[in-house]
Amino acid sequence: MKIGVIGGGQLGRMLALAGTPLGMNFAFLDPAPDACAAALGEHLRADYGDQDHLRQLADEVDLVTFEFESVPAETVAFLSQFVPVYPSAEALRIARDRWFEKSMFKDLGIPTPAFADIQSQADLDAAVASIGLPAVLKTRTLGYDGKGQKVLRTAADVEGTFAELGSVACLLEGFVPFTGEVSLIAVRGRDGEVCFYPLVHNTHDNGILRLSVASTAHPLQALAEDYAGRVLKQLDYVGVLAFEFFEVDGGLKANEIAPRVHNSGHWTTEGAECSQFENHLRAIAGLPLGSTAKVGESAMLNFIGSVPPVEQVIAIADCHLHHYGKAFKNGRKVGHATLRCADQATLQAQILRVEALIEG
Ligand SMILES: Nc1ncnc2c1ncn2[C@@H]1O[C@H](COP(=O)(O)OP(=O)(O)O)[C@@H](O)[C@H]1O
Ligand SMILES: [Mg+2]
């Protein structure tokens, strides 16, 4: 089976690493000459709106998926005429726009931060008056790794901020004084079968994920699965869907969803019976889903800007290096390490070792 992937970054690369043993082949559509997934399959180097290349991709593959949610809606609509695309155009339409996403949470009775649609500075002033400060202003589309958003703490922060974010459609959200951030990686097959991985505790720095630790019997697991189940059903979703939640007042508020494999699920490559990458491929290919059970105690640390010396990373016991083969650049995710240990005490000690390497 040949899978077409829109986007040729590290998520596409890791999908191919997981799918190759299943006998799958891959083609990636990505305009970047140095797309890092290209090492693992065919690279169609073209813009996402290039209909000749989209048609070529559709002709070559059995089905299409994507590794980022900002794929233009027209691209998905065009491809869908010729080849099955999973997740669906509708799932993508909702997940790529923070207003549609939060409105869906609200309609499904899933708690979220207070939010308002912002089309002008006047909208922003009015929304700040009703939601209050602190608050977070985010562009409705295209934001990632904390980009395209600003925390507003004082009246001075509000002035002129709509223009500062580019005078594009935004969402204002109440600032959530969370006690923690957790994510749930869910997967749903073409036949409606659903599986969930254990909740992951995430630590961000400047809006970018640094550390994920997989939990055991988290008290909010059932609640998170209940919320996620509603969304999966509503969207008739196929593939991996990631949910980010704020932990607050002993409950959860939904922050966002990502219609793809997710950074906070990278630990599953070594830390679960079947990884999020393999399960995404199984789901879209109509194959039986694999076990999401945890194997040992796991964590994932991102390498941002640069990867520490390979020999030092892999010298740490229980540590697995994932090097994306991308050019090093400040603020860019260029690799990660997963740790899979026998117990929590060992895991915590090894996290400190990897952190020391990152800081050194
Ligand atoms: N309403 C909020 N209240 C408090 N912190 C927030 C809020 N929204 C975002 N953040 C912080 O910023 C991070 C990135 O925001 P998020 O909406 O997840 O955007 P991205 O698409 O960049 O991941 C979150 O993981 C969280 O740490
Ligand atoms: Mg996020």
Side-chain angles (χ1 to χ4, degrees):
M1 178 176 281
K2 189 162 179 182
I3 313 280
V5 184
I6 309 299
Q10 65 265 21
L11 300 181
R13 179 173 163 115
M14 290 186 272
L15 282 170
L17 283 168
T20 304
L22 300 182
M24 294 173 172
N25 297 306
F26 292 83
F28 303 95
L29 180 79
D30 193 315
D34 57 351
C36 72
L40 280 295
E42 184 186 344
H43 182 193
L44 298 181
R45 194 181 149 193
D47 287 331
Y48 298 118
D50 180 330
Q51 294 199 346
D52 291 340
H53 281 89
L54 289 173
R55 191 63 220 257
Q56 186 191 335
L57 182 73
D59 287 346
E60 273 184 29
V61 303
D62 298 290
L63 48 91
V64 168
T65 190
F66 35 83
E67 59 128 46
F68 69 112
E69 55 270 41
S70 301
V71 180
E74 309 77 58
T75 301
V76 181
F78 182 81
L79 283 167
S80 301
Q81 301 174 81
F82 311 108
V83 64
V85 179
Y86 298 111
S88 69
E90 175 60 8
L92 194 76
R93 185 184 72 85
I94 305 279
R96 69 197 297 275
D97 184 312
R98 297 186 193 277
W99 167 255
F100 294 147
E101 177 179 73
K102 288 221 162 58
S103 301
M104 176 184 63
F105 295 151
K106 197 173 159 192
D107 291 345
L108 294 173
I110 301 168
T112 70
F115 65 98
D117 183 27
I118 306 295
Q119 301 285 342
S120 66
Q121 183 67 36
D123 283 355
L124 177 59
D125 295 339
V128 167
S130 71
I131 290 175
L133 293 178
V136 189
L137 185 67
K138 304 178 179 180
T139 59
R140 273 175 54 169
T141 61
L142 302 173
Y144 70 98
D145 286 349
K147 294 182 176 73
Q149 58 178 275
K150 190 182 170 191
V151 179
L152 311 178
R153 298 187 186 279
T154 65
D157 290 339
V158 180
E159 230 181 278
T161 300
F162 182 70
E164 213 178 290
L165 284 189
S167 299
V168 294
C170 283
L171 197 78
L172 185 74
E173 282 177 24
F175 188 89
V176 180
F178 56 78
T179 52
E181 290 191 81
V182 291
S183 58
L184 183 72
I185 309 295
V187 56
R188 187 169 181 272
R190 268 155 51 171
D191 59 357
E193 181 189 3
V194 170
C195 296
F196 303 99
Y197 287 92
L199 273 173
V200 181
H201 185 269
N202 298 314
T203 308
H204 295 84
D205 185 6
N206 267 321
I208 186 163
L209 183 66
R210 300 276 156 178
L211 169 69
S212 292
V213 182
S215 64
T216 304
H218 195 290
L220 294 171
Q221 181 80 30
L223 184 65
E225 290 185 10
D226 171 21
Y227 293 158
R230 296 181 206 180
V231 172
L232 291 167
K233 191 161 173 247
Q234 168 74 21
L235 297 174
D236 191 17
Y237 195 85
V238 177
V240 162
L241 182 61
F243 292 75
E244 294 180 15
F245 294 106
F246 299 126
E247 245 182 294
V248 62
D249 302 330
L252 296 171
K253 282 190 185 205
N255 173 29
E256 62 172 348
I257 52 174
R260 53 170 169 80
V261 290
H262 193 256
N263 197 171
S264 70
H266 289 359
W267 65 275
T268 61
T269 301
E270 285 84 18
E273 284 289 351
C274 181
S275 75
Q276 63 164 350
F277 304 101
E278 181 173 334
N279 254 334
H280 179 71
L281 295 167
R282 288 180 179 224
I284 64 175
L287 297 167
L289 302 184
S291 166
T292 53
K294 199 154 70 96
V295 186
E297 300 296 335
S298 285
M300 186 279 326
L301 295 102
N302 269 334
F303 295 136
I304 297 161
S306 64
V307 177
V310 171
E311 64 281 8
Q312 293 182 26
V313 179
I314 62 176
I316 297 174
D318 309 322
C319 186
H320 304 265
L321 173 62
H322 297 262
H323 195 305
Y324 305 156
K326 288 164 52 169
F328 292 174
K329 193 173 143 196
N330 264 349
R332 188 180 209 203
K333 291 171 179 169
V334 290
H336 70 268
T338 45
L339 290 164
R340 184 191 59 206
C341 302
D343 53 65
Q344 270 296 330
T346 313
L347 178 65
Q348 294 307 324
Q350 302 306 63
I351 288 173
L352 293 179
R353 292 208 170 87
V354 178
E355 281 176 342
L357 266 189
I358 291 172
E359 277 147 32

